[in-house]
Amino acid sequence: MSVVMICTMVLCFALTVSVAVSIGLASILGIQVSNANMLISVKEMFASINKFPLAAIPFFILAGNLMETGGISRRLVEFAKSIVGGVQGGLPMTCVLTCMIFAAVSGSSVATTFAIGAILIPALIKHGYPTSYAAALQATSAELGVIIPPSIPMILYGVSAEVSIGELFIAGFGPGLLISGALMLFVWAYCKYKGWGKNDGDGRLSFGKATLQAGWALLMPVIILGGIYGGVFTPTEASAVAVFYALVVGMVIYREIKIKDLYAILRKSAISSAVIMFIIANAGLFAFLITRAGVPDAIGRWLESVLQSPAMFLLGVNAALFVIGMFIETSAAIIVLAPILAPVAMHFGIDPVHFGLIMVVNLALGMITPPFGVNLFAACTVAKISLDRIVGHLLPFVGVILACLMVITYVPSISLALRDLVYAK
């Protein structure tokens, strides 16, 4: 059964069938081959999405779209520019910093790409940066949307591996800040080398004025994250609070969201949420059948025999996840692989929260690597260029994040220090 399922899934991927349909079709064929009752498919698909933490996904997607339309993202850009925009290469650094702040409430890299890219890609082009560089930078920076909490892939990992979502969120700050700092340092040095961005400070607001304008926007991550770690509400409830706050700020305070805009915002959010939920449902069925066939145990025993140490296990897993992330959507990969790999990691003595951060950061790389990088498609759509044009500028960014991934993998304290401080056992 498992051989038929995996071969069918790989064949569908090769034929460019959508991820959700590929996984679902492979699961249905697996049920047919094993002569099991087809009602299993309905039961397991429903069970996969009938989980309270998953309610956070549509709410965070809606919050991101409300922020984009309500002027919150534009004010965050001006705030970030007031901090780093005065140096050479300040505009690319602004892109990274804004994505980091926006990520603290959006939870989605694609939402971050559209919301921030719609403002910064034209600004970068206007200041003389190549269009391909602007698109590659935006796609890479938006990856922070799934690393800085709250994060939709972290929610999925927590549900799949039965790990505390609150602990995953707090552990995401260290890796997120590391990657943000490395990207800002790299773009600053690269712009110095290329001679770009000497006039990036033109039109920059003072820090005080930008802070005053973005005050309500900056308060949003404070309320959301402060509420989670202050015990006021759960991560799932925080997503609903984010929607309410973004709606009030956008409609009442900034007055940039009109009643007529709500239909388009809700429709866009519903479609994005439905796509993710459909993937989760099919991937949940696939994971159930693979687990019932004993594949996770077999893989675990094989990995234990081949990779004798935790260090070798992590290296092998990182190499495999990097390749998998190129071809399989991040959410689907986490749902299928987390139940398989997390128990093996725990057998090697690796903290499941630390391993979750490794999986999320690694698979997030798939969002900026061809051929199926969703951030690349989003950034190319905003920049109105073809995917092949940005690959040259993209490779150095991938190298920077890979270097950060290795540090995150082999220095667990980057992920766990803050977690251990907040969740003292």
Side-chain angles (χ1 to χ4, degrees), residues 17 73 106 115 123-124 196 213 241 270 391:
V17 178
S73 25
S106 74
L124 286 161
W196 295 342
Q213 283 190 4
V241 174
V391 173

Side-chain angles (χ1 to χ4, degrees), residues 91 122 130 168 239 241 347 410:
L91 205 53
L168 287 166
S239 62
V241 174
H347 175 80
Y410 294 109

Side-chain angles (χ1 to χ4, degrees), residues 297-423:
D297 291 336
I299 292 176
R301 288 193 296 271
W302 181 78
L303 288 172
E304 288 175 35
S305 63
V306 174
L307 307 172
Q308 300 292 333
S309 69
M312 288 301 297
F313 168 74
L314 288 174
L315 184 63
V317 166
N318 271 321
L321 290 177
F322 180 70
V323 175
I324 289 168
M326 290 184 181
F327 299 97
I328 301 180
E329 200 270 336
T330 302
S331 299
I334 287 175
I335 293 167
V336 172
L337 296 175
I340 297 173
L341 296 176
V344 183
M346 292 174 67
H347 175 80
F348 278 104
I350 299 164
D351 191 293
V353 172
H354 177 218
F355 187 71
L357 265 296
I358 294 170
M359 279 196 74
V360 169
V361 173
N362 194 318
L363 290 170
L365 267 170
M367 298 177 175
I368 60 167
T369 50
F372 301 127
V374 290
N375 283 14
L376 299 184
F377 294 123
C380 288
T381 300
V382 176
K384 298 177 182 177
I385 59 173
S386 59
L387 180 62
D388 58 288
R389 288 183 54 190
I390 73 173
V391 173
H393 286 299
L394 188 67
L395 292 176
F397 290 124
V398 172
V400 171
I401 295 180
L402 276 174
C404 291
L405 174 62
M406 290 297 100
V407 175
I408 293 164
T409 299
Y410 294 109
V411 185
S413 58
I414 291 175
S415 303
L416 301 181
L418 191 57
R419 189 282 307 264
D420 292 341
L421 185 65
V422 174
Y423 291 89

Side-chain angles (χ1 to χ4, degrees), residues 49-342:
I49 59 176
N50 187 30
K51 296 174 181 177
F52 181 67
L54 294 180
I57 294 175
F59 280 118
F60 277 129
I61 290 173
L62 177 56
N65 289 331
L66 287 168
M67 289 170 67
E68 178 186 357
T69 309
I72 292 177
S73 25
R74 188 181 71 253
R75 287 169 173 83
L76 290 177
V77 169
E78 291 297 338
F79 171 75
K81 190 176 178 182
S82 73
I83 298 175
V84 297
V87 301
Q88 184 176 348
L91 205 53
M93 293 173 71
T94 297
C95 182
V96 178
L97 184 58
T98 308
C99 287
M100 185 180 76
I101 300 171
F102 191 86
V105 281
S106 74
S108 166
S109 66
V110 177
T112 305
T113 304
F114 280 114
I116 306 302
I119 301 167
L120 276 173
I121 288 178
L124 286 161
I125 296 170
K126 183 180 177 182
H127 279 73
Y129 292 91
T131 303
S132 54
Y133 175 81
L137 171 68
Q138 178 58 63
T140 306
S141 301
E143 183 189 330
L144 294 167
V146 300
I147 299 171
I148 299 279
S151 159
I152 291 173
M154 286 184 193
I155 294 171
L156 297 177
Y157 176 84
V159 171
S160 302
E162 298 181 354
V163 176
S164 165
I165 294 171
E167 291 189 28
L168 287 166
F169 279 5
I170 198 74
F173 280 107
L177 292 173
L178 172 67
I179 294 172
S180 302
L183 283 174
M184 283 197 281
L185 183 63
F186 172 74
V187 297
W188 172 78
Y190 192 73
C191 289
K192 283 276 189 182
Y193 171 73
K194 287 285 191 177
W196 295 342
K198 293 181 180 178
N199 300 315
D200 279 359
D202 294 352
R204 182 169 66 106
L205 298 177
S206 66
F207 177 74
K209 187 175 181 180
T211 304
L212 190 64
Q213 283 190 4
W216 290 102
L218 292 170
L219 193 59
M220 191 172 181
V222 175
I223 292 174
I224 301 307
L225 297 175
I228 293 173
Y229 300 118
V232 180
F233 38 69
T234 67
T236 307
E237 293 165 346
S239 62
V241 174
V243 170
F244 177 77
Y245 187 88
L247 189 63
V248 170
V249 171
M251 292 190 73
V252 179
I253 298 175
Y254 293 156
R255 298 182 180 179
E256 295 193 21
I257 298 178
K258 310 300 180 186
I259 295 292
K260 64 181 181 180
D261 298 326
L262 291 178
Y263 173 76
I265 294 171
L266 290 169
R267 183 177 184 274
K268 180 180 176 183
S269 303
I271 291 172
S272 299
S273 302
V275 169
I276 294 178
M277 289 300 183
F278 187 51
I279 292 173
I280 293 170
N282 285 284
L285 174 60
F286 185 89
F288 168 79
L289 294 171
I290 286 291
T291 302
R292 199 174 79 159
V295 174
D297 291 336
I299 292 176
R301 288 193 296 271
W302 181 78
L303 288 172
E304 288 175 35
S305 63
V306 174
L307 307 172
Q308 300 292 333
S309 69
M312 288 301 297
F313 168 74
L314 288 174
L315 184 63
V317 166
N318 271 321
L321 290 177
F322 180 70
V323 175
I324 289 168
M326 290 184 181
F327 299 97
I328 301 180
E329 200 270 336
T330 302
S331 299
I334 287 175
I335 293 167
V336 172
L337 296 175
I340 297 173
L341 296 176

